[in-house]
Amino acid sequence: MNISSFIANRIAFNRSRSFSRFIIRLSIVATVISVAAMIITLAFANGFQKKVSEKVFSFWGHVRIQETLPYSSLITEEIPIIASNETQDRIQKTPNVKAVYPFATRYAILKTKDELQGILVKGLDKTYDFNNLKEFIVEGAPIRFNDTTYSRDIMISKKTAQELHLKVNDRVSIYFIRPDGSKRRDKLTISGIFKTDIGDFDNSFAIGDIQLIRRLNNWEPNQIGGYEIVLQDFKKTDSSIHQIAQLPGFDEDWSIQNIKEYIPNIFDWLNMQDTTRNVLIGIMIVVAVINLITCLIILVLERMRMVGVLKSIGATDWTVQKIFLRHSLIIALRGIVTGAIIGLGILYAQVKTGFIKLDEEAYYMDRAAVQITAWEVIAICGATFLICMLVLLIPSYIVRKIQPVKAIQFR
């Protein structure tokens, strides 16, 4: 061990009470808080964005194909298109496409003895994989299809069930307005109740059989509202849309759009979280750096006489600088490692217990979601360490300006 390391260790692990010891502890605590806060912020931001996005994609897929309609939205009823097994197979075989499902929607009114509520019924067929909705089903089961006629099952949201005082296996009257203006009444059974925590979905939608939608609209058996496409990697959505649009059999009157275009308010809000996250992380890095610079300056001033003695016996400027840089290294590493442990510990506790609760109406979930990515944790720790060490070189140059005679007399 060289002289710089020996002296730095003696200073760092000296247990005698002094003002510099208090400052060192304060700097370590500040670094701990900064690193822990950055890790927690990043994990919560990633978890929140991932959870909300997955809810939207699970309920609606990543891409929709339907007849082009000006000013269409998620709650706009579709103009029917002709379903083609050949076209659907081509879409299914497109790279990055996981599944393709026909769908159609129809406005209706659910009515009980004392209450009524307007809903948009999303019709699906028996090829649909209800595992997509499994996490949302809080009671009951998906609708049951049959080969002879349309299913008389319907799934409604928990909010609709509460407002209409319905439960699983209850029968409910449903009213539709036919294209000719006449009303049609039917009786359906509540097979399941779902809860997405996304108000736009829970307030407006129910899930039924696409054959019922066809019957109400007087459509042919091969007519659908459109295709719902689930991708393997949503980050490649734009390239997948381009590939699908170039397929043979893709009608020029069809539109193919990212589901984000139908719900821009949710995804614009999610994108704003990136800005908030980056600002907070920036503030935490600045706090850690300022604290360490302040700590090092105080350490240099308190050890001024020691610096003078070392220089007077022949120590070079770089030898003395290394003492304080090594000391700073110990402080930074202690803070970063402890901060990482505390941050990951809090995140682990959240995953296991969900002790941080959220307002469902505001955040689309009842507890904070967590997504821990190893490389991001390493990047935070590494970047904090690198920035600290680079910035700490600045005050360490104070040592070069110290004159031995004056430093020995320093009080």
Side-chain angles (χ1 to χ4, degrees):
M1 182 182 295
N2 59 39
I3 187 65
S4 299
S5 300
F6 175 77
I7 296 175
N9 289 339
R10 287 296 300 271
I11 297 173
F13 300 107
N14 181 13
R15 297 191 175 277
S16 61
R17 294 184 179 181
S18 64
F19 178 68
S20 62
R21 184 165 180 78
F22 167 75
I23 293 299
I24 290 170
R25 288 179 175 176
L26 189 62
S27 297
I28 292 174
V29 169
T31 306
V32 168
I33 293 173
S34 298
V35 172
M38 286 188 283
I39 292 173
I40 292 170
T41 298
L42 197 59
F44 279 160
N46 291 343
F48 177 74
Q49 291 178 322
K50 183 172 183 287
K51 187 68 174 178
V52 175
S53 297
E54 285 180 347
K55 285 188 175 188
V56 174
F57 298 145
S58 296
F59 204 85
W60 284 110
H62 298 90
V63 177
R64 287 181 88 179
I65 296 176
Q66 61 187 66
E67 187 78 10
T68 302
L69 278 171
Y71 310 112
S72 63
S73 69
L74 203 61
I75 59 174
T76 303
E77 291 184 2
E78 307 83 22
I79 296 174
I81 64 174
I82 303 300
S84 165
N85 290 335
E86 187 177 357
T87 299
Q88 186 167 337
D89 288 342
R90 288 194 186 111
I91 296 172
Q92 180 70 66
K93 293 176 182 178
T94 303
N96 195 41
V97 172
K98 182 178 180 182
V100 184
Y101 305 116
F103 78 95
T105 59
R106 190 78 168 81
Y107 279 107
I109 296 175
L110 292 178
K111 187 178 185 304
T112 61
K113 183 178 179 181
D114 302 313
E115 306 285 345
L116 60 85
Q117 182 173 330
I119 58 168
L120 187 64
V121 180
K122 178 184 179 183
L124 302 170
D125 66 11
K126 60 184 178 182
T127 66
Y128 186 79
D129 184 2
F130 277 93
N131 285 325
N132 295 327
L133 305 179
K134 186 176 180 181
E135 66 170 304
F136 305 137
I137 300 175
V138 293
E139 293 181 55
I143 59 177
R144 296 156 293 187
F145 296 95
N146 57 69
D147 296 326
T148 56
T149 183
Y150 64 87
S151 172
R152 292 186 175 274
D153 285 350
I154 189 171
M155 294 175 64
I156 62 174
S157 71
K158 185 176 181 179
K159 185 170 184 179
T160 299
Q162 290 173 339
E163 290 179 351
L164 298 181
H165 308 291
L166 294 170
K167 57 184 183 297
V168 173
N169 296 324
D170 281 354
R171 299 272 287 172
V172 61
S173 296
I174 187 166
Y175 292 84
F176 298 93
I177 306 298
R178 287 177 166 173
D180 60 7
S182 62
K183 289 187 292 186
R184 173 189 167 121
R185 178 179 177 272
D186 210 333
K187 275 276 192 179
L188 301 180
T189 301
I190 308 297
S191 68
I193 296 174
F194 64 85
K195 179 173 177 282
T196 67
D197 293 324
I198 299 179
D200 292 344
F201 298 171
D202 292 342
N203 295 337
S204 306
F205 290 95
I207 297 172
D209 189 345
I210 195 173
Q211 291 192 65
L212 173 61
I213 308 297
R214 288 192 183 110
R215 190 164 185 157
L216 292 166
N217 289 337
N218 296 324
W219 289 356
E220 296 297 324
N222 64 342
Q223 287 184 305
I224 61 174
Y227 291 110
E228 180 179 294
I229 302 173
V230 179
L231 302 178
Q232 295 174 358
D233 183 357
F234 77 93
K235 295 179 181 178
K236 299 178 181 178
T237 299
D238 291 340
S239 62
S240 296
I241 287 175
H242 178 74
Q243 288 177 307
I244 294 169
Q246 303 302 315
L247 293 174
F250 190 92
D251 197 301
E252 61 181 11
D253 293 328
W254 293 356
S255 68
I256 176 169
Q257 290 181 295
N258 190 325
I259 195 63
K260 294 180 179 182
E261 297 179 39
Y262 290 94
I263 323 172
N265 57 318
I266 291 178
F267 288 97
D268 287 346
W269 182 55
L270 289 179
N271 290 335
M272 287 177 61
Q273 309 306 313
D274 291 335
T275 303
T276 304
R277 176 198 64 197
N278 295 339
V279 169
L280 186 56
I281 289 177
I283 291 173
M284 291 298 101
I285 290 177
V286 170
V287 169
V289 168
I290 290 176
N291 271 278
L292 285 173
I293 291 175
T294 304
C295 174
L296 185 56
I297 291 174
I298 291 174
L299 287 176
V300 171
L301 293 176
E302 188 178 58
R303 302 287 175 175
M304 188 74 76
R305 295 184 69 188
M306 181 194 75
V307 172
V309 171
L310 290 173
K311 281 194 169 187
S312 66
I313 61 175
T316 64
D317 288 338
W318 176 236
T319 299
V320 179
Q321 276 183 272
K322 285 194 294 183
I323 294 173
F324 294 101
L325 287 175
R326 183 177 177 84
H327 195 174
S328 302
L329 173 65
I330 294 170
I331 295 170
L333 285 177
R334 277 183 174 181
I336 291 170
V337 172
T338 306
I341 293 171
I342 292 175
L344 293 173
I346 292 173
L347 294 176
Y348 180 79
Q350 174 64 18
V351 171
K352 292 298 182 181
T353 66
F355 67 94
I356 300 177
K357 306 295 183 182
L358 298 175
D359 180 0
E360 296 177 23
E361 294 186 2
Y363 296 98
Y364 307 139
M365 61 186 73
D366 60 357
R367 61 186 63 187
V370 173
Q371 183 185 15
I372 303 172
T373 306
W375 74 264
E376 291 181 337
V377 174
I378 295 171
I380 287 174
C381 295
T384 302
F385 176 75
L386 180 62
I387 292 171
C388 288
M389 294 313 296
L390 289 175
V391 175
L392 286 172
L393 288 172
I394 299 172
S396 71
Y397 275 97
I398 297 174
V399 173
R400 290 181 175 272
K401 305 297 182 181
I402 297 175
Q403 297 179 5
V405 175
K406 290 183 179 181
I408 293 174
Q409 298 175 348
F410 182 79
R411 294 289 186 272

